[in-house]
């Protein structure tokens, strides 16, 4: 593998990670209910709390699978 090809690949992976970070950061501000969907588990006691966003993870996984499949079919 050519090193310049690897550098381009690493660059685009970084752009994708930054895009996902912006989506998660700005998501609540634009009305996306990630982390507050029905099925997300939140248990709290007096001095502790446990939070597991199971439905948010499932929805995010489905959306990313569809988007990445479209992306890879388009650039194939």
């Amino acid at each position: 593998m050519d090193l310049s090809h690897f550098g381009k690949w690493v660059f685009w992976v970084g752009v994708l990670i930054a895009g996902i970070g912006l989506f998660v950061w700005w998501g609540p501000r634009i009305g996306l209910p990630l982390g507050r969907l029905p099925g997300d588990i939140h248990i709290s006691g007096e001095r502790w709390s446990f939070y597991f966003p199971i439905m948010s993870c499932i929805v995010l996984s489905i959306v990313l699978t569809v988007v990445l499949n479209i992306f890879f079919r388009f650039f194939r």
Side-chain angles (χ1 to χ4, degrees):
M1 180 193 310
D2 186 19
L3 200 55
S4 66
H5 179 62
F6 180 71
K8 290 177 187 177
W9 185 80
V10 169
F11 172 78
W12 286 112
V13 168
V15 168
L16 179 67
I17 290 172
I20 292 170
L22 286 174
F23 178 75
V24 170
W25 184 26
W26 287 336
R29 294 180 185 169
I30 58 175
L32 295 175
L34 289 177
R36 294 173 285 145
L37 293 175
D40 290 343
I41 298 170
H42 182 83
I43 303 170
S44 59
E46 261 184 55
R47 301 183 66 176
W48 60 273
S49 66
F50 174 76
Y51 182 71
F52 187 67
I54 187 81
M55 285 305 294
S56 294
C57 291
I58 291 170
V59 168
L60 192 59
S61 174
I62 292 169
V63 169
L64 286 176
T65 299
V66 170
V67 168
L68 287 175
N69 277 321
I70 291 170
F71 177 79
F72 286 127
R73 287 178 194 250
F74 182 69
F75 287 109
R76 184 182 279 184

